Amino acid sequence: MPYQIYHLIAFLVSALVVIWTTPLVKTIGIKSGKVDAPGDRKVHQRPMVRLGGISIFLGSLIALLTVWWSGGFGILPPEIEWEIWGVTLGGLAFFAIGLADDLFNLSPFVRLLLQIIFATLAWVMGVHIDFLSIPAIGLVQMGWLSLPITVIWLVGMANAINWIDGLDGLAAGVSGIAAVVMLIVTLFMQQSAAALIAAALAGGALAFLRYNFNPAQIFMGDGGAYYMGFTLAGVGVIGLVKGTAVTAVLLPYLILAVPIVDMSTVILTRLRKGKSPFLADKSHLHHRLLQAGLSHRLTVLFIYALTLWVGSLALAFAGIPSGIAYALAATSLLSYASWHVWRHARQS
């Protein structure tokens, strides 16, 4: 049986689990009163269950366990299989942090401290950035810097995905697109272990849109956002950053450029205004697009197009056959979406 079949199994199992369990999670959330009430920064107008991350996590976990049970891990070296469990267990820890915040409203300091601790444990389990390939310099070994750089990357991406989770379907769609691109790139680079995780995450994230796209029936909450952000970062570490080519090292940052740039811009904007970078406001890209007069759906679809565009650039840089054609097609789609954004902004 072709090994790629296991990636298809991971994708489909994760998607089916999410489709089946999300209504159950929603019912439990309503009965238990665990809902997100409307507020000043909230776009939704009615209380919403925000425990959908449970379904996404279960979908990914059950998918990977299914592949493991069916022998899909059998051809992997022990150290590579350990990396899969390192990302999976780290994702479990970050999901638990987010779920605890959804249920009990943890303080920002406690959340950050726990994230740093579990990111450090993931580093111990083999999820670490050992070197960087820098243009004009070459291969630079990280040495003791491997730990802080890896922790910053894992914690930063978990929070970046959580920060863009401000509109129906936004975080799930962006994460799903990024996971699909990572799946394609890691398969092309013969990083089968990382590709399995990407396939499971892609299936779960995209299936969740069945219930989360505008108008949403349920939110993923911090649990889902932290899990997807950490897992995407983890796939980038074990599947892409370990490559010695400069292009391979840059790929995860390019694929995840939209949440990275959004988070960086928001932090710099808040600091320039003399505010705490952790003080919530409406300076995110999706807030700015809404303020420009765009509809909820058009805002989300435009950011999807932007994510797909940077993902297509990653396909081209990775040397994937027809990668340039994909990049040109995505550029055309983004140009069309940008024209719609400009037209609606002018009319408002």
Side-chain angles (χ1 to χ4, degrees), residues 33-115:
K34 303 300 181 181
V35 297
D36 187 22
D40 180 53
R41 293 184 62 255
K42 308 295 179 64
V43 177
H44 59 283
Q45 303 298 319
R46 57 190 175 88
M48 296 285 291
V49 175
R50 54 179 319 211
L51 301 176
I54 295 175
S55 296
I56 298 173
F57 170 72
L58 286 177
S60 297
L61 179 61
I62 291 174
L64 291 175
L65 289 175
T66 301
V67 170
W68 173 74
W69 175 79
S70 60
F73 289 7
I75 66 171
L76 298 175
E79 66 274 12
I80 301 299
E81 182 177 344
W82 189 240
E83 287 182 349
I84 294 180
W85 295 121
V87 174
T88 302
L89 293 174
L92 167 61
F94 271 68
F95 165 72
I97 295 170
L99 182 62
D101 186 44
D102 291 329
L103 296 174
F104 309 113
N105 293 319
L106 302 180
S107 72
F109 174 78
V110 171
R111 291 201 306 268
L112 182 59
L113 178 60
L114 290 174
Q115 289 171 357

Side-chain angles (χ1 to χ4, degrees), residues 4 22 48 53 70-71 128 132 135-136 138 148 150-151 154 167 194 198 204 208 217 221 225 240 252 304 311 316:
Q4 288 76 13
T22 302
M48 296 285 291
S70 60
H128 43 68
L132 293 178
T150 302
V151 169
L154 296 175
L167 296 180
F208 188 65
Q217 302 174 40
L240 300 177
Y304 284 178

Side-chain angles (χ1 to χ4, degrees), residues 1-12 67 70 187 196 199:
M1 182 172 63
Y3 190 71
Q4 288 76 13
I5 293 297
Y6 289 112
H7 298 87
L8 179 61
I9 291 173
F11 182 94
L12 293 177
V67 170
S70 60
L187 283 175
L196 282 173

Side-chain angles (χ1 to χ4, degrees), residues 236-255:
V237 170
I238 69 172
L240 300 177
V241 176
K242 289 184 180 296
T244 57
V246 173
T247 52
V249 173
L250 296 177
L251 286 176
Y253 312 111
L254 181 56
I255 295 170

Side-chain angles (χ1 to χ4, degrees), residues 41 108 111-112 159-160 163 262-284:
R41 293 184 62 255
R111 291 201 306 268
L112 182 59
N159 285 279
W163 281 19
D262 179 65
M263 184 181 197
S264 302
T265 302
V266 168
I267 290 176
L268 291 175
T269 299
R270 292 172 182 172
L271 290 175
R272 190 172 64 250
K273 294 180 178 179
K275 299 180 180 179
S276 167
F278 304 107
L279 183 64
D281 57 20
K282 292 188 175 182
S283 57
H284 290 280

